[in-house]
Amino acid sequence: MSDDSLIGTLIAGRYRLVKPIGRGSTGDVYLAQHPVLGVRFAVKIVRDALSEDASAKRRLKHEAEVVSKLDHPNIVG
């Protein structure tokens, strides 16, 4: 599973990592929570090996665009 040492880390000053919730081919996904508002998010941490790979960056950008368009009552915006 994901790297538990990241639990509690504050990402971009907005997302505190709460617990690992999944793992994909490009990175690990965590449940994160806004420290003031309490709003929950899913945050993907990309593997270091892919951080400079142009092809991986394109795939991740495409993934983010697709996910941002999902609209369903059981999916958080």
Side-chain angles (χ1 to χ4, degrees):
M1 187 54 90
S2 305
D3 182 357
D4 287 344
S5 69
L6 294 177
I7 302 303
T9 301
L10 188 63
I11 305 292
R14 298 176 59 181
Y15 312 105
R16 185 161 315 278
L17 300 182
V18 176
K19 68 178 183 177
I21 57 175
R23 178 172 224 167
S25 61
T26 57
D28 299 321
V29 181
Y30 292 83
L31 171 65
Q33 188 165 356
H34 189 285
V36 175
L37 302 176
V39 179
R40 299 184 322 166
F41 300 88
V43 173
K44 180 181 266 188
I45 306 294
V46 179
R47 297 190 207 310
D48 286 340
L50 298 176
S51 65
E52 298 302 320
D53 182 315
S55 175
K57 286 181 182 181
R58 282 192 301 276
R59 288 192 314 270
L60 287 166
K61 183 176 184 215
H62 176 69
E63 177 183 321
E65 289 169 351
V66 169
V67 169
S68 73
K69 295 175 184 172
L70 293 176
D71 183 23
H72 188 276
N74 294 335
I75 298 175
V76 177

